[in-house]
Amino acid sequence: MITFIPLYAFTRKVPVYESFVEGAKDGFGTAIAIIPHLVGMLVAISVFRASGALDFLMSFISPALKGIGVPPEVLPLGLLRPLTGTGSLAYTTDLISVHGPDSLIGMIASTIQGSTDTTLYVLTVYFGAVGIRNGRYALRVGLFSDIVGFIAAIAVCLLVFG
């Protein structure tokens, strides 16, 4: 692909380098446009964690999770994953380093990481970059699919490895 596309463009007499530079200029503008959205999302995540809201939620839901056999350590991952890919990856890495990659917690965390998406990040950054202001239906569908992915990841891991 890397060789084919420039060669094909060259045979069609497309100015390959000039087209690349023009596209890079557009990409730089897009990167500048998404910075405010990205900063806003990162601040919101930091406030959520620093305020103690995550710890409060964990203490409230942990007994119910333990009652159905779900390790409560994976709950923050389910909450972080729709918000931030880097934050959820850092949390997954921490879970794996503490509990081990072959532990039930490590396997559930890895499966959640691969079964869900950074919905709020995608909506904030990408929708903001292209100027979409009404993303409520995309938000509902994205968060619903994250919930389904989270529950399915836990169920499959408990069924296969538990």
Side-chain angles (χ1 to χ4, degrees):
M1 291 298 286
I2 293 172
T3 305
F4 174 74
I5 292 172
L7 287 176
Y8 181 76
F10 181 76
T11 60
R12 296 287 192 169
K13 308 242 189 279
V14 173
V16 177
Y17 182 74
E18 290 80 7
S19 297
F20 173 78
V21 170
E22 190 63 33
K25 285 180 189 175
D26 292 343
F28 185 73
T30 301
I32 296 298
I34 66 172
I35 287 175
H37 303 284
L38 184 58
V39 169
M41 179 61 69
L42 293 175
V43 167
I45 292 166
S46 297
V47 168
F48 181 69
R49 292 184 79 186
S51 70
L54 179 62
D55 295 331
F56 175 75
L57 188 62
M58 280 291 298
S59 67
F60 183 69
I61 297 177
S62 290
L65 290 176
K66 285 181 185 177
I68 58 173
V70 175
E73 294 86 355
V74 300
L75 179 64
L77 182 58
L79 298 173
L80 284 173
R81 184 69 178 144
L83 298 172
T84 170
T86 305
S88 64
L89 182 59
Y91 190 76
T92 300
T93 302
D94 185 53
L95 285 176
I96 290 172
S97 67
V98 169
H99 299 282
D102 295 331
S103 68
L104 181 62
I105 291 173
M107 290 183 199
I108 290 174
S110 298
T111 307
I112 290 170
Q113 189 74 15
S115 302
T116 57
D117 198 6
T118 55
T119 301
L120 296 175
Y121 176 83
V122 168
L123 292 177
T124 301
V125 174
Y126 298 121
F127 279 28
V130 295
I132 296 174
R133 297 287 173 231
N134 189 1
R136 69 176 185 220
Y137 297 115
L139 176 65
R140 289 178 186 167
V141 169
L143 289 178
F144 179 72
S145 65
D146 284 335
I147 291 168
V148 169
F150 180 74
I151 292 170
I154 291 171
V156 166
C157 285
L158 288 174
L159 182 69
V160 173
F161 305 114

